[in-house]
Amino acid sequence: MSRILVTGSADGLGRATAEALLDAGHDVVVHARSAERAKVLGDLADRGADVVVGDFAERDAVRRVADELDASRPLDAVVHNAGVWSGPAVMPVNIVAPYLLTALLRGPRRLVYLSSGSHLGGRPSALEGTDWRGASAGSYADSKLFVTALAAAVARLRPGVASNAVDPGWVPTRMGGPNAPDDLELGHRTQEWLASSDDPEALSTGGYWYHGKRTRSHRAVHDEAFQDRLVRALAEETGTAL
């Protein structure tokens, strides 16, 4: 049994991931952005899940959640699922929050970052001049390119940590909309498998996955110079080294 944090687990893929991990007997920590949103997690808490609350658009809230988790039982894995599609919170939630959690949380040996096929439209050149604080609306595609490159950077910089990115597909969630063509069940299986399975493939690192198979990512993802610029920019912006 592993102890696994699933961020953004009040609904959609995050909730489906948390429910499946609980069904499999794992010790799950679920997350919501507010106390009001956390009310929908009551049934999972009744099944034994721990609940953490924090708005990942706010750095102080991310740090508080990290401190709370570091003060409790160690985590074995983190599924960085929380994300937003549009608006000022895109960069704070989709890349700054997972970066901070990666830098601050002690112990997890498996890290799974939710990417998107949209990352293929991301612009490496956008790294310079990015509004990390969300004073203006951010680019979803750019944010997903950055988080996919972060997953690859962590795989390189942290030997012994299995770090992977997953494209869950365009699935019918609140974010994806009711007419999304992909399979919701397949949309969460890969991240569960990467977070908990003893399958040798699940213990690999540096992959970009879609429905249980490695697939090709944006060419910038494995560009070490780009990774280093991204990590350096985030470290300088947050005052927190990876």
Side-chain angles (χ1 to χ4, degrees), residues 82-172:
V84 296
W85 169 251
S86 62
V90 165
M91 289 298 172
V93 174
N94 292 4
I95 177 62
V96 175
Y99 171 82
L100 277 173
L101 286 177
T102 301
L104 295 171
L105 287 175
R106 296 192 297 269
R109 309 303 291 177
R110 301 193 197 198
L111 301 171
V112 183
Y113 300 83
L114 265 286
S115 181
S116 165
S118 297
H119 95 280
L120 294 168
R123 303 162 299 156
S125 62
L127 184 58
E128 283 71 37
T130 291
D131 175 11
W132 302 110
R133 292 184 176 271
S136 58
S139 162
Y140 181 78
D142 291 346
S143 76
K144 289 303 182 181
L145 172 60
F146 296 162
V147 82
T148 308
L150 175 63
V154 172
R156 174 170 63 92
L157 298 171
R158 288 187 173 177
V161 172
S163 174
N164 291 279
V166 176
D167 171 11
W170 182 13
V171 295

Side-chain angles (χ1 to χ4, degrees), residues 59 63 96 130-133 231-240:
R59 298 180 192 183
R63 292 181 184 279
V96 175
T130 291
D131 175 11
W132 302 110
R133 292 184 176 271
V231 169
R232 184 165 56 250
L234 288 164
E236 290 174 355
E237 173 64 27
T238 62
T240 304

Side-chain angles (χ1 to χ4, degrees), residues 115-117 119-120 148 167 207-210 213-219 221-222:
S115 181
S116 165
H119 95 280
L120 294 168
T148 308
D167 171 11
Y208 173 68
W209 298 80
Y210 173 73
K213 295 182 179 180
R214 280 185 182 240
T215 188
R216 293 184 66 178
S217 59
H218 192 296
R219 62 184 180 182
V221 166
H222 292 286

